[in-house]
Amino acid sequence: MNPRPRKLKLLRWLPNRWVMTRGRRATRALHLTFDDGPHPEHTGALLDVLAEHGARATFFVIGQHAERHPELMRRIVAEGHTLGNHSWSHPQFETLGLAAQREEIARTEALLRAFDGRTRHDFRPPRGVLPRPMVMDCIRAGRRIAYWSYDSLDYARPPAERLVDTARRHPLQAGDIVLMHDDYGVAADMLRTMLPVWREAGFAFEPLPEAA
C-alpha cells in the first residue's frame, strides 16, 4: 500500500493554483479531506471524532447526497469545516461530454452556495480522473481543482488497523492534503488513533486554504 504513488509526484509539476496537490507547510498544517458524503450514518460519527480533537477539515460532497441530508451539511459548516464540490452524481467523468461535466459541477455549486454563502468552491473530480478538456475548462473558468498528496487508501475498506499501520510506516509531512472518505466508518476508526499521534508530532488540522 503506497499512499504516495508516482501519479501524485507528477501532478506536482502543475501550478498549485490550477491543480492543488500541496497545502501550507510553514504552519505545520495537515489538510484532511473527505469525499463522497454526506452519509447519514458515517458523517456524523466522523464529525464527532474531528470535534473531539479540535480538527477542521474539508468535505468534498456529492450534490445529490447533500440535497438529501441538509442537516449534515449545516452541521459541517457550523463546526468550522469547509465544503468542496465533488460533482452532482459522481459519474465517470471521462465518459461525459464537456457540457455534461459542467452541469455536474454547476448544479452542485449552486447547492453548496446555499449552505455556506461562498461564491466558488474547489472541485475534486470523481475518482480523481482528470480529462484534459475538463482541466482546461476549469482553468479558463478560474476554478481550482483540489487533488491530494497523500492517499489514505480507505476506499478499499481495509480494517482500520491496516490504515493505521500504513500511516505509521509512511509519515505525513507538513502541507499534506490527505484523501479520505466519509461514506464508510473506517476513516473515523483510523482517526481515533492517528489524530492524537499527529497532534503530538506538532501538526495542526486545517481546511484547505482558499484559492488566491
Side-chain angles (χ1 to χ4, degrees), residues 4-20:
R4 300 185 191 275
R6 184 169 178 267
K7 177 182 179 180
L8 299 184
K9 297 176 182 178
L10 294 175
L11 286 174
R12 291 185 186 179
W13 290 98
L14 295 173
N16 218 36
R17 68 182 183 278
W18 294 352
V19 181
M20 182 172 54

Side-chain angles (χ1 to χ4, degrees), residues 49-79:
V49 173
L50 295 175
E52 180 182 350
H53 296 279
R56 294 181 299 140
T58 300
F59 286 77
F60 285 91
V61 301
I62 296 174
Q64 61 186 9
H65 295 343
E67 185 178 57
R68 294 190 192 110
H69 305 291
E71 73 289 348
L72 285 171
M73 295 293 291
R74 287 190 288 268
R75 182 180 171 188
I76 289 170
V77 173
E79 295 186 6

Side-chain angles (χ1 to χ4, degrees), residues 24 27-34 46-60 75-84 118 172 175-180 191 195 198-199 203-210:
R24 295 173 178 152
T27 58
R28 295 278 298 169
L30 297 178
H31 305 287
L32 305 178
T33 67
F34 301 94
L46 175 62
L47 288 168
D48 290 343
V49 173
L50 295 175
E52 180 182 350
H53 296 279
R56 294 181 299 140
T58 300
F59 286 77
F60 285 91
R75 182 180 171 188
I76 289 170
V77 173
E79 295 186 6
H81 309 290
T82 59
L83 301 175
R118 292 172 55 200
L172 291 176
D176 266 333
I177 300 173
V178 185
L179 171 66
M180 307 185 82
L191 290 176
L195 282 175
W198 293 331
R199 180 76 76 185
F203 290 114
F205 309 105
E206 300 178 0
L208 291 176
E210 292 188 14

Side-chain angles (χ1 to χ4, degrees), residues 24 28-29 46 61 65 95 108 127 140 162 165 189 212:
R24 295 173 178 152
R28 295 278 298 169
L46 175 62
V61 301
H65 295 343
T95 68
T108 304
R127 299 180 296 113
R140 285 192 295 267
R162 188 181 305 172
D165 179 67
D189 292 339

